[in-house]
């Protein structure tokens, strides 16, 4: 005997009954709300308190984001180039598709931080050479392609 499940992304999954009885099943669409989590990095020179307030306001402006429970704006990591902030909020997954709402939240956060002139730097890498590299004196006129 098989159990047939249609996934939220349109796929059909057939599961043998014995696996259903012995497995843990997660239903992402049962509840009307789901907690969402988005990471954003701000520059070390940014005022964290101000950035958190801007993020909170931006998140609450997105359609489908629940006002209660309130969004959580948490400092998660002091990374090499950024202060990484996790934004957790509850989304009404029946009003708008969950992934669409996630995208709208990320866009709102980015645009609000940019408007407030809060830097969101990319990762910075430093390359150190322990030995001095030789500098070639060859000119392109002396260049001979390898055969």
């Amino acid at each position: 005997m098989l159990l047939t499940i249609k996934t939220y992304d349109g796929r059909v999954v057939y599961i043998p009954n014995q696996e259903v009885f012995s497995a843990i099943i997660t239903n992402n669409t049962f509840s009307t709300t789901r907690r969402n989590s988005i990471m954003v990095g701000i520059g070390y020179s940014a005022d964290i308190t101000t950035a958190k307030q801007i993020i909170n306001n931006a998140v609450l402006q997105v359609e489908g984001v629940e006002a209660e429970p309130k969004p959580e704006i948490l400092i998660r990591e002091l990374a090499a180039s950024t202060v990484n902030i996790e934004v957790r909020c509850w989304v009404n997954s029946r009003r708008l598709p969950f992934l669409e709402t996630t995208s709208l939240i990320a866009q709102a956060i980015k645009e609000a931080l940019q408007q407030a002139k809060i830097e969101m730097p990319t990762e910075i890498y430093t390359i150190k050479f322990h030995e001095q590299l030789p500098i070639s004196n060859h000119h392109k006129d002396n260049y001979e392609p390898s055969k």
Side-chain angles (χ1 to χ4, degrees):
M1 198 86 193
L2 291 175
L3 173 66
T4 304
I5 298 175
K6 185 174 181 182
T7 64
Y8 59 91
D9 61 352
R11 296 179 291 159
V12 176
V13 178
Y14 300 101
I15 305 171
N17 275 350
Q18 71 185 43
E19 288 193 32
V20 172
F21 293 123
S22 64
I24 296 172
I25 298 174
T26 302
N27 184 342
N28 290 326
T29 59
F30 179 77
S31 179
T32 57
T33 58
R34 284 177 61 188
R35 192 180 78 183
N36 203 330
S37 178
I38 296 173
M39 293 291 287
V40 62
I42 62 170
Y44 271 89
S45 62
D47 181 289
I48 293 173
T49 303
T50 301
K52 288 171 69 173
Q53 187 60 51
I54 289 167
I55 291 169
N56 187 69
N57 293 342
V59 167
L60 288 173
Q61 297 299 313
V62 175
E63 180 184 351
V65 172
E66 299 293 309
E68 291 295 328
K70 294 178 181 176
E72 296 176 291
I73 318 294
L74 309 166
I75 304 302
R76 292 301 303 247
E77 179 184 22
L78 301 176
S81 308
T82 57
V83 175
N84 291 335
I85 299 172
E86 181 178 12
V87 181
R88 294 179 182 175
C89 59
W90 288 88
V91 173
N92 184 320
S93 56
R94 300 285 161 88
R95 237 184 270 159
L96 284 174
F98 186 78
L99 292 177
E100 180 181 344
T101 305
T102 303
S103 176
L104 292 171
I105 293 167
Q107 180 178 343
I109 291 169
K110 179 192 177 286
E111 290 172 355
L113 290 173
Q114 279 183 319
Q115 186 175 12
K117 307 261 189 274
I118 293 178
E119 185 183 13
M120 294 173 285
T122 58
E123 291 294 325
I124 298 171
Y125 297 97
T126 303
I127 300 173
K128 292 183 179 182
F129 296 100
H130 295 286
E131 296 178 20
Q132 188 173 12
L133 297 176
I135 297 175
S136 172
N137 290 326
H138 295 287
H139 297 284
K140 66 179 179 182
D141 296 341
N142 297 333
Y143 175 71
E144 291 183 28
S146 58
K147 297 179 183 181

